[in-house]
Amino acid sequence: AVKPCTGISELNTAEDQIRVYPNPHQDEIIIELKEEYQCMLIDYTGRVINEQKLFVGKNTLSTQENSSGIYFLRLRNETHSFTVKLIKE
């Protein structure tokens, strides 16, 4: 089965679902959501550092134990999937 292409309006709606800040960050990142998501923090080698469920509203993810560098935050639920590149100072 062929799935229809994602339209611009659908993309904008998806982007409105999440806010991730600050980026770059130091000891924690804030993730604001309008839906529940499963979250994975992944380092540049592809290793999963942290995995947890995030809830509607403001979520705080501690990165104190992580070294400086580039990370990827993967958010997924039944209807949306996002990957955000993060930089830890």
Side-chain angles (χ1 to χ4, degrees):
V2 176
K3 291 186 178 183
C5 294
T6 301
I8 297 291
S9 61
E10 291 175 82
L11 278 177
N12 289 341
T13 303
E15 292 300 320
D16 290 342
Q17 294 292 313
I18 64 165
R19 282 188 62 216
V20 179
Y21 60 92
N23 192 15
H25 67 282
Q26 292 181 354
D27 291 333
E28 66 182 23
I29 53 175
I30 309 293
I31 306 160
E32 290 184 18
L33 303 171
K34 294 188 177 169
E35 295 179 16
E36 291 185 355
Y37 282 88
Q38 190 64 30
C39 152
M40 286 194 314
L41 185 63
I42 302 163
D43 71 9
Y44 69 94
T45 67
R47 187 170 59 98
V48 176
I49 305 293
N50 186 345
E51 189 168 5
Q52 67 187 64
K53 186 172 185 174
L54 300 178
F55 299 96
V56 172
K58 189 181 281 190
N59 298 267
T60 303
L61 189 64
S62 174
T63 60
Q64 259 182 330
E65 304 296 316
N66 304 353
S67 56
S68 297
I70 295 173
Y71 294 86
F72 298 93
L73 181 68
R74 186 171 298 152
L75 300 167
R76 185 177 303 170
N77 66 15
E78 286 98 34
T79 54
H80 297 102
S81 178
F82 302 101
T83 302
V84 180
K85 181 179 172 183
L86 298 171
I87 298 169
K88 174 154 182 186
E89 294 179 325

